[in-house]
Amino acid sequence: MEIYLIRHTTPLITAGHIYGWSDIPLAETFLTEVNDVRKQLHVSFDRVYSSPSTRCLKLATKISEKVFIDERLRELHFGDWEGERWDTVDQNALQIWMDDFVNVCIPGGESMLQMEERLRSFWNELMENDVHNVALVTHAGAIRILLALHQRMDLNRIFDIQVCYGQVFHIKSPVPYR
């Protein structure tokens, strides 16, 4: 099996806004970015999975006519911080989360460890399928966690992994994550 992790294209949102589960529109550069993504894909897919977020689903439907939506591919749930700006949320709560984002839940949201559990569930279920080429259209956080699992990297280092809009990561011969 070969898996292609694909981040959605550029969202139409001001820098500094928190938008994990928020459904936001895409920038006017969408079609140009779709073409850039397609240039990175030299394979036809047996299956294409997508986060239910419109910013992922729009790209997924440009890759395949048949897309499987899976809630587990969502971005981190930022809970009470959704739609806020990083500089306007409670700075004490933000610092507590930043000091241990792996284990600390965002108020009304989830921790990275909880996100990892849902992604691990999706991944292990995927490993049971008889498919050869799979695309996952998802978010930077999900891609970082999946790559960290694949590379056996501690979750507290996931921000070392740079993930750009429309970027594609290719994993050959994936294994289940126990």
Side-chain angles (χ1 to χ4, degrees), residues 67-123:
V67 175
F68 296 88
I69 298 170
D70 197 298
E71 292 283 334
R72 295 170 292 181
L73 293 174
R74 281 188 176 275
E75 181 57 278
L76 182 71
H77 189 325
F78 285 99
D80 296 347
W81 298 349
E82 289 280 338
E84 299 294 326
R85 293 183 46 83
W86 288 108
D87 60 356
T88 61
V89 297
D90 179 315
Q91 295 301 295
N92 290 328
L94 177 61
Q95 191 60 54
I96 290 168
W97 178 72
M98 289 177 67
D99 288 344
D100 188 11
F101 60 84
V102 172
N103 297 296
V104 173
C105 288
I106 294 168
E110 68 183 335
S111 69
M112 287 286 180
L113 192 58
Q114 290 170 320
M115 185 177 175
E116 180 202 43
E117 288 171 7
R118 68 176 154 85
L119 287 165
R120 185 186 301 262
S121 166
F122 170 83
W123 188 269

Side-chain angles (χ1 to χ4, degrees), residues 10 15 18 27-28 32 44 46-47 60 68 74 88 91 105 107 118 121 124-125 152 157-158 175 177:
T10 306
I18 303 168
E28 293 177 8
T32 302
S44 61
D46 301 318
R47 291 229 176 125
F68 296 88
R74 281 188 176 275
T88 61
Q91 295 301 295
C105 288
R118 68 176 154 85
S121 166
N124 289 336
E125 191 176 296
R152 307 215 187 292
R157 293 187 44 228
I158 65 169
V175 297
Y177 300 143

Side-chain angles (χ1 to χ4, degrees), residues 1 7 21 27 43 46 54 57-58 66-67 70 75 92-93 122 124 139-140 147 150 171:
M1 182 184 297
R7 186 178 183 193
W21 280 27
V43 63
D46 301 318
T54 301
L57 197 52
K58 276 188 80 169
K66 186 170 185 180
V67 175
D70 197 298
E75 181 57 278
N92 290 328
F122 170 83
N124 289 336
H139 309 270
L147 289 173
H150 181 69
I171 297 176

